[in-house]
Amino acid sequence: MTVAPEKNPPIKLPNEPAITPQIVAEHGLAPDEYERLLKIMGRTPTMVELGIFSAMWSEHCSYKSSKVWLKKLPTKAPWVIQGPGENAGVIDIGDGQAAIFKMESHNHPSYIEPYQGAATGVGGILRDVFTMGARPVANLNALRFGDPENAKTRHLVSGVVAGIAGYGNCMGIPTVGGETNFHAAYNGNILVNAMTVGVAQTDKIFYAAAAGIGNPMVYVGSKTGRDGIHGATMSSTEFNEDSESKRPTVQVGDPFVEKLLLEACLELMATDAIIAIQDMGAAGLTSSSFEMAAKGGLGLVMELDKVPMRETGMNPYELMLSESQERMLMVLKPGREDEARKIFEKWELDFAVIGHLTDTERMVLTWHGDVVGNIPIPPLVTEAPMYERPWTLTPLPAELDAAKVPAPNDWKASLLTLMSCPDLASKSWIWHQYDHLIMGNTAIRPQGGDAALVRVPAASKGTAKSAGHKGLAMTSDCTPRYVQAHPETGGRQAVAEAWRNITAVGARPLAVTDNMNFGNPQKPEIMGQFAGAIMGMAEACTALDFPVVSGNVSLYNETEGRPILPTPTIGAVGVIDDIATSAGSRLDQSGLALVLIGETKGWLGQSIYLRELHGREDGAPPPVDLAVERRNGDFVRGQIVGRRVHACHDLSDGGLLVALAEMCLSGGTGACIKLPVRDVAPHAYLYGEDQGRYLIATDDGGALVEAARKAGVPAVLLGYSGGPDIAVDGLLRMPLQELLDAHEGWLPGYMNSAA
């Protein structure tokens, strides 16, 4: 369809400023981008039109620097119902049920105002999921903070954790997994990545594409205020010394209203009144209305004076760009407005018909009867800037010779140092603030396994049911220091570790959502980090049949030119047919054989041991052999589902000895192992971070080792569980209680100490 010509040029509102180069620059548009806007419009835009272009062409909304690379990721599989392009990804989990999930960032808002930034990040990702018809069953988060010695870090940790807890707990949705790391590179720009997983019926999934000329557009939820204006634009620029002044661009959330919105939406979804539905997220009413019309190939007329407002004197510009929370936009079937209104008013939420669909492919905005905006919709997509920015790949560093890395002078002190360092210390101080058991379906709780495991609510009547009680496994993973050293290897490893974590509880890994956190893409070395990470991720996702179905890109994570570590966070979901066959990582029984699966060469490059014991961050990260990952993981999963595994833990940060210590501390049972006679130095064998490995506790170690041999999988019996100590024959013996005190003590001690 040819876009209809402009019939009603907009008026200029009283007190509306003239469009100057300075105002254009303040809206984040480059001069050539503004020229592109003028060509599309055929005239100078009004302020509200400029604001709409600014938001929709921002990095946050348009992915103009990343789109060309994101297309290289695999997104399809027989079990994928909906890949990237909707509010969230959708996969088939059997029995007529679907898992719907996504991860998004709220980095800049959380640094400026940590409580509300983190809280509204949780609220936004929840809406992305229940907008599609799913009831959320679990939240996760991946948090990166600066150096603990930095003056702001303690304040940021406190505010972010409280914000996540405050929103998720009030919504009644368990927070079941995630990760928290510290590094000086995040001093001026923390990362808050929030993930939600929901469950829906495959025949009750809702999409955003508008349909039906003349059908009503309906606004539901909270009233619109002035909070969050320019939020999307702010999230598309790097920070500087004036960043605190951006506090007004951070939204304010109300989880109690969102809970009402969730229940009202699901109640209306049980009818057949909804044609399309879209969350008002970044850029608020602008992005939601534009995306619905664009996906449906239609136009719209919106009467902005009918939008419910909570502040006096608001104007069209503010209404279109506000990012006030807890709001949805719907297209209803004609004549169903009263039915829908009654549902939302019952839940004490605003409901207003604010417009209708047209065949013009134009966005026409009116204000008390006057046209104040008139924008052709298709060119906003087809003519949006898309950059193939210059990029320079990071070369692979030289391999570090483990023999030249000193062994510990004191083995006990080395383990205590690692288990109490900020990255490896227990995060129970955080988890205790999250309600991770609400809803009663959490089968493996935080720090009880490599992935969280949540029971799936029973399928509806009329669908086949699994023989056991089905579960969803979920995790989030990334090792930023690996990505910094070599983005391709780091991207490959992030996907592989997420796949391993799902596998380690006995589930089949099905799909990925990603959160690509990087610095300024206009710097070739930063763009090269992004490109390299995508290359590695694409290779791993393809080799492991692990498609990317949703995600988010967060660029310009820099402060005064200093970038964060490149952090492509991987959120992953898998399914297990019967949670009774799952395995956690708790070593809670004596007499179990401890078997190491996978080959150990003693890789110390970029290891936690190298950083924490020797103050070095150098060498190549450990290589990732995807065929080996697949072979070893498939074997381990088969053993778990066959009920031959009591506990399982993948080996990652800190290597074998840290994994063993975590299993012992988690289950309260000690262990004694003996290193095999071989040509790997003890400190490299115990602390090396070779990939593709698992530590398994089983009743019959000999049988497991023999089964591995027949499958062509390296396996070695190391020792047995039992006793009050953790011991390595000839090197180390330490009471578990002493290790537990150090492991559990760091974070609460840090948070309770004087600022």
Side-chain angles (χ1 to χ4, degrees):
M1 179 187 294
T2 303
V3 178
E6 184 175 41
K7 293 182 179 179
N8 299 300
I11 66 166
K12 185 176 179 180
L13 290 169
N15 302 318
E16 183 173 325
I19 304 299
T20 65
Q22 180 180 348
I23 286 179
V24 171
E26 288 172 354
H27 281 74
L29 292 173
D32 61 320
E33 292 174 342
Y34 182 64
E35 288 300 317
R36 187 178 300 211
L37 178 161
L38 292 176
K39 186 176 179 181
I40 291 171
M41 295 296 291
R43 57 172 171 78
T44 301
T46 63
M47 274 297 291
V48 68
E49 291 170 335
L50 178 64
I52 288 169
F53 272 90
S54 166
M56 295 308 300
W57 285 3
S58 69
E59 194 75 63
H60 190 79
C61 291
S62 74
Y63 294 155
K64 57 190 175 186
S65 298
S66 58
K67 193 178 296 183
V68 64
W69 286 101
L70 295 175
K71 292 178 180 179
K72 300 180 183 298
L73 293 171
T75 61
K76 299 181 185 297
W79 53 90
V80 174
I81 296 173
Q82 175 64 55
E86 272 289 341
N87 286 292
V90 186
I91 57 173
D92 192 325
I93 58 172
D95 305 321
Q97 293 178 305
I100 300 180
F101 61 100
K102 189 181 183 182
M103 178 181 282
E104 280 209 340
S105 60
H106 235 219
N107 303 334
H108 287 101
S110 297
Y111 183 81
I112 295 170
E113 214 306 301
Y115 184 94
Q116 289 295 348
T120 52
V122 173
I125 197 64
L126 282 166
R127 289 194 302 280
D128 279 341
V129 168
F130 73 74
T131 277
M132 298 195 70
R135 179 171 290 278
V137 298
N139 290 329
L140 300 90
N141 55 73
L143 312 178
R144 318 281 173 184
F145 297 105
D147 185 342
E149 298 302 314
N150 183 273
K152 288 198 70 170
T153 299
R154 189 181 288 102
H155 161 72
L156 292 168
V157 172
S158 177
V160 165
V161 171
I164 292 170
Y167 211 99
N169 294 355
C170 291
M171 284 290 293
I173 297 164
T175 299
V176 298
E179 53 185 339
T180 303
N181 298 128
F182 297 82
H183 193 283
Y186 303 106
N187 279 351
N189 198 126
I190 63 172
L191 302 185
V192 175
N193 296 169
M195 177 176 169
T196 292
V197 181
V199 175
Q201 296 302 121
T202 54
D203 59 352
K204 278 285 187 179
I205 296 170
F206 291 81
Y207 298 96
I213 296 167
N215 283 347
M217 296 191 71
V218 174
Y219 171 118
V220 300
S222 287
K223 290 179 169 61
T224 297
R226 291 187 170 96
D227 50 321
I229 294 173
H230 287 311
T233 307
M234 179 269 290
S235 293
S236 304
T237 57
E238 61 184 81
F239 278 171
N240 55 40
E241 60 186 9
D242 298 323
S243 294
E244 290 295 333
S245 66
K246 296 178 180 178
R247 191 178 299 273
T249 63
V250 178
Q251 311 94 321
V252 178
D254 185 336
F256 298 105
V257 172
E258 179 128 333
K259 174 65 174 173
L260 299 177
L261 183 61
L262 164 65
E263 299 301 338
C265 285
L266 292 180
E267 182 174 339
L268 185 59
M269 286 168 170
T271 73
D272 63 348
I274 298 175
I275 292 175
I277 181 170
Q278 175 73 39
D279 159 46
M280 290 194 218
L285 193 53
T286 286
S287 61
S288 56
S289 59
F290 170 81
E291 288 171 8
M292 292 177 81
K295 288 176 180 177
L298 296 174
L300 59 90
V301 173
M302 272 201 297
E303 301 171 74
L304 295 179
D305 49 290
K306 293 185 177 178
V307 172
M309 301 172 226
R310 70 164 182 258
E311 299 184 46
T312 59
M314 293 192 73
N315 60 44
Y317 179 93
E318 294 169 327
L319 291 169
M320 288 301 292
L321 295 178
S322 168
E323 294 185 7
S324 293
Q325 297 292 285
E326 294 89 39
R327 302 179 301 158
M328 294 279 191
L329 194 62
M330 298 180 179
V331 175
L332 298 182
K333 291 181 178 177
R336 306 297 290 274
E337 296 92 329
D338 287 343
E339 177 185 356
R341 183 189 303 275
K342 288 176 182 177
I343 290 174
F344 282 90
E345 288 181 349
K346 180 186 77 172
W347 289 100
E348 300 180 345
L349 295 166
D350 278 284
F351 178 99
V353 178
I354 63 169
H356 62 274
L357 300 176
T358 70
D359 64 354
T360 64
E361 289 193 289
R362 300 189 74 92
M363 174 186 283
V364 178
L365 309 175
T366 69
W367 182 245
H368 299 289
D370 293 322
V371 174
V372 294
N374 193 334
I375 300 174
I377 292 173
L380 223 59
V381 177
T382 59
E383 301 302 316
M386 186 170 74
Y387 298 118
E388 294 190 37
R389 297 195 184 277
W391 51 283
T392 305
L393 282 179
T394 304
L396 180 67
E399 181 178 337
L400 190 66
D401 185 352
K404 295 181 180 179
V405 178
N409 294 321
D410 183 331
W411 280 93
K412 180 177 174 181
S414 72
L415 184 57
L416 282 169
T417 296
L418 290 185
M419 295 300 291
S420 63
C421 76
D423 277 3
L424 297 183
S426 168
K427 303 306 186 296
S428 59
W429 180 89
I430 294 174
W431 295 119
H432 288 162
Q433 296 182 58
Y434 302 156
D435 191 335
H436 49 271
L437 297 177
I438 198 166
M439 298 176 75
N441 286 320
T442 306
I444 296 180
R445 62 184 68 184
Q447 297 183 294
D450 288 335
L453 188 62
V454 175
R455 296 178 189 88
V456 175
S460 64
K461 294 179 181 178
T463 60
K465 294 186 179 181
S466 302
H469 202 136
K470 185 167 55 184
L472 284 175
M474 54 199 76
T475 187
S476 69
D477 286 287
C478 185
T479 310
R481 64 184 186 278
Y482 291 175
V483 189
Q484 173 83 359
H486 188 240
E488 209 168 333
T489 300
R492 195 180 297 122
Q493 190 273 342
V495 172
E497 186 174 350
W499 190 87
R500 279 201 306 271
N501 284 349
I502 298 292
T503 292
V505 299
R508 300 188 305 278
L510 290 179
V512 161
T513 180
D514 58 33
N515 208 144
M516 307 294 290
N517 308 275
F518 289 78
N520 185 341
Q522 297 177 53
K523 298 178 179 178
E525 66 275 16
I526 300 295
M527 200 63 230
Q529 290 176 345
F530 188 93
I534 289 285
M535 292 177 192
M537 290 165 55
E539 184 184 354
C541 288
T542 300
L544 299 173
D545 288 326
F546 210 23
V548 178
V549 298
S550 61
N552 172 246
V553 175
S554 176
L555 301 177
Y556 295 97
N557 288 288
E558 298 199 6
T559 299
E560 297 181 356
R562 296 187 300 275
I564 61 165
L565 296 183
T567 311
T569 308
I570 302 297
V573 172
V575 69
I576 188 167
D577 296 329
D578 184 359
I579 61 171
T581 66
S582 65
S585 61
R586 298 178 186 275
L587 196 57
D588 57 6
Q589 183 177 316
S590 297
L592 295 171
L594 299 171
V595 177
L596 175 62
I597 299 293
E599 186 178 7
T600 300
K601 295 182 178 179
W603 196 279
L604 290 177
Q606 297 298 330
S607 66
I608 287 280
Y609 173 83
L610 189 68
R611 188 182 77 190
E612 297 297 326
L613 273 296
H614 299 288
R616 295 168 53 185
E617 296 184 45
D618 60 307
V624 180
D625 186 321
L626 294 167
V628 168
E629 290 281 359
R630 186 68 179 257
R631 180 197 68 195
N632 293 1
D634 288 349
F635 170 77
V636 167
R637 189 183 314 105
Q639 296 299 306
I640 294 172
V641 174
R643 301 182 187 240
R644 292 179 287 274
V645 173
H646 184 85
C648 180
H649 195 5
D650 94 302
L651 272 59
S652 52
D653 284 350
L656 170 61
L657 189 52
V658 165
L660 177 62
E662 289 173 341
M663 293 177 77
C664 290
L665 293 178
S666 180
T669 301
C672 181
I673 64 171
K674 184 175 182 178
L675 300 188
V677 177
R678 53 176 300 153
D679 57 358
V680 177
H683 68 295
Y685 196 93
L686 289 170
Y687 290 130
E689 296 181 5
D690 305 79
Q691 299 296 293
R693 299 185 298 159
Y694 303 79
L695 185 58
I696 288 177
T698 179
D699 290 320
D700 191 339
L704 188 68
V705 170
E706 177 59 19
R709 185 190 67 77
K710 290 180 178 178
V713 172
V716 59
L717 176 62
L718 295 177
Y720 295 88
S721 65
D725 302 333
I726 182 169
V728 181
D729 188 41
L731 292 178
L732 168 72
R733 179 170 293 276
M734 183 188 308
L736 274 188
Q737 188 60 51
E738 184 178 354
L739 190 59
L740 181 66
D741 291 343
H743 184 58
E744 293 287 346
W746 180 79
L747 187 53
Y750 170 70
M751 294 306 298
N752 293 332
S753 62

